[in-house]
């Protein structure tokens, strides 16, 4: 059979299936804290965290400074973020952010996260989107904290090397106190501020979504990153204690020297008086 003899339409290709609907998800860390009390952005979807339906998408506000924007246009995101700046404490410059894509899949059993790919959901329900927002917000905050801790380690390393090689430090008390202050500041900011290990409230109402959240935790390595961060914070805390001991030792040494000098002066004065009285 030649091509001319084929039935009509035999050569036509089947139409390609429409691409699965996707949602753009963007997490932005604006500062150390965001005050979400009495905030009115749209229809309230959740109170913990505060989530609002805005322009057909979702805006999720986390008190530790992160806003997650789901399904919004860039222009809509900018307007919303600008409106929140007055509620931000400890504004960051530059901001910290992460993005993700959510895509519809066939059914709930097909929900998965491809490495480097979209997050497949059976439907774009509020509960599922809140779980993604929670995981992405924690990942964004962890990224910021990891950078802070790395910056403190960059300062501590040459100081520790100097102590190891010379057995002493050329830094004065002021420099050591600044190093301790940086270490304690990072520890205070990081420890306990973001409850990474705690599960979001949405899981209490929808425990069947626990598997989805477990996949999100694995994708963003939340537990592993938290464990690493806590180990580094322990080192920073121990370093701060060691530096405090160094300062105390230096101060004690100076006091001892001062006491010895005063004793010597007193002895010299006594000798002079005895010598003068003998004449």
């Amino acid at each position: 059979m030649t091509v001319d003899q084929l039935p009509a339409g035999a050569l036509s290709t089947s139409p390609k299936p429409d691409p699965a609907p996707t949602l753009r998800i963007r997490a932005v860390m604006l500062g150390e804290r965001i005050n979400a009390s009495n905030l009115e952005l749209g229809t309230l979807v959740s109170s913990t965290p505060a989530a609002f339906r805005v322009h057909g998408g979702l805006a999720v506000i986390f008190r530790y400074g992160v806003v997650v924007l789901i399904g919004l246009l860039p222009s809509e995101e900018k307007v919303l973020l600008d409106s929140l700046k007055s509620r931000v404490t400890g504004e960051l410059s530059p901001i910290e952010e992460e993005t993700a894509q959510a895509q519809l899949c066939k059914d709930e059993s097909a929900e998965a996260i491809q490495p480097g790919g979209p997050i497949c959901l059976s439907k774009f329900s509020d509960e599922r989107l809140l779980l993604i927002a929670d995981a992405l917000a924690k990942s964004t905050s962890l990224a910021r904290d990891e950078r802070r801790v790395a910056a403190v380690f960059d300062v501590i390393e040459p100081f520790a090397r100097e102590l190891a090689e010379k057995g002493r430090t050329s830094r004065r008390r002021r420099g050591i106190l600044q190093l301790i202050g940086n270490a304690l500041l990072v520890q205070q900011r990081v420890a306990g501020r973001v409850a990474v290990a705690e599960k979001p409230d949405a899981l209490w109402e929808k425990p069947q979504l626990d598997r989805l959240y477990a996949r999100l935790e694995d994708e963003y390595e939340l537990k592993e990153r938290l464990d690493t961060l806590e180990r580094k914070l322990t080192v920073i805390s121990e370093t701060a204690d060691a530096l405090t001991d160094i300062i105390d030792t230096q101060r004690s040494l100076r006091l001892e020297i001062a006491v010895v000098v005063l004793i010597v002066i007193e002895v010299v004065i006594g000798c002079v008086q005895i010598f003068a009285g003998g004449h």
Side-chain angles (χ1 to χ4, degrees):
M1 179 180 296
T2 64
V3 173
D4 293 337
Q5 296 173 319
L6 288 174
L11 288 179
S12 62
T13 58
S14 58
K16 294 182 179 179
D18 293 333
T22 60
L23 281 178
R24 178 175 177 267
I25 304 173
R26 181 188 178 204
V28 182
M29 187 171 189
L30 297 176
E32 300 297 332
R33 294 278 180 181
I34 295 180
N35 180 13
S37 60
N38 300 320
L39 183 61
E40 295 181 1
L41 294 177
T43 304
L44 185 66
V45 174
S46 167
S47 56
T48 310
F52 303 88
R53 198 172 306 285
V54 184
H55 301 296
L58 280 180
V60 190
I61 318 296
F62 293 88
R63 59 181 177 81
Y64 50 83
V66 180
V67 181
V68 180
L69 307 166
I70 304 175
L72 298 181
L73 297 174
S75 58
E76 296 169 341
E77 292 178 352
K78 185 179 186 306
V79 171
L80 192 148
L81 293 177
D82 288 342
S83 69
L84 291 173
K85 285 186 177 180
S86 61
R87 292 175 170 266
V88 175
T89 302
E91 188 174 347
L92 300 182
S93 181
I95 60 175
E96 189 80 35
E97 66 177 293
E98 290 190 30
T99 59
Q101 292 281 344
Q103 186 179 71
L104 282 181
C105 56
K106 296 179 181 179
D107 51 49
E108 190 168 344
S109 62
E111 289 186 333
I113 304 174
Q114 301 298 328
I119 302 169
C120 294
L121 302 175
S122 60
K123 56 183 176 180
F124 292 150
S125 64
D126 291 340
E127 296 83 5
R128 286 172 169 79
L129 295 177
L130 285 174
L131 291 185
I132 297 175
D134 183 271
L136 198 59
K138 289 175 179 176
S139 178
T140 305
S141 184
L142 279 173
R144 178 72 178 181
D145 293 337
E146 287 163 350
R147 253 189 282 279
R148 285 172 173 156
V149 170
V152 172
F153 267 85
D154 289 341
V155 178
I156 290 177
E157 184 181 358
F159 179 82
R161 185 181 297 110
E162 185 180 21
L163 282 177
E165 294 175 353
K166 300 180 181 179
R168 56 185 175 81
T169 174
S170 60
R171 294 180 183 235
R172 296 186 177 181
R173 185 170 178 269
R174 180 183 178 87
I176 296 176
L177 285 174
Q178 287 177 334
L179 191 57
I180 293 175
N182 285 333
L184 294 178
L185 187 60
V186 168
Q187 189 176 26
Q188 183 270 331
R189 283 175 175 171
V190 175
R193 188 167 61 84
V194 183
V196 176
E198 294 182 6
K199 292 186 176 182
D201 290 345
L203 285 183
W204 295 103
E205 300 175 4
K206 299 284 185 178
Q208 64 270 26
L209 298 179
D210 190 72
R211 290 179 60 188
L212 172 61
Y213 189 73
R215 294 190 186 106
L216 290 167
E217 282 186 319
D218 291 340
E219 171 67 16
Y220 294 105
E221 299 179 335
L222 298 182
K223 292 181 179 179
E224 294 81 357
R225 292 164 67 188
L226 178 62
D227 290 342
T228 301
L229 203 56
E230 287 178 341
R231 286 195 297 269
K232 290 183 177 181
L233 284 174
T234 300
V235 173
I236 288 175
S237 178
E238 292 173 350
T239 302
D241 291 340
L243 294 179
T244 304
D245 291 341
I246 290 174
I247 288 180
D248 291 342
T249 301
Q250 291 176 343
R251 180 177 295 175
S252 298
L253 182 59
R254 284 196 297 269
L255 288 174
E256 290 174 3
I257 293 174
V259 170
V260 171
V261 169
L262 290 174
I263 292 174
V264 171
I265 292 174
E266 187 175 354
V267 170
V268 170
I269 291 174
C271 290
V272 169
Q273 290 176 343
I274 293 174
F275 180 76
H279 287 75

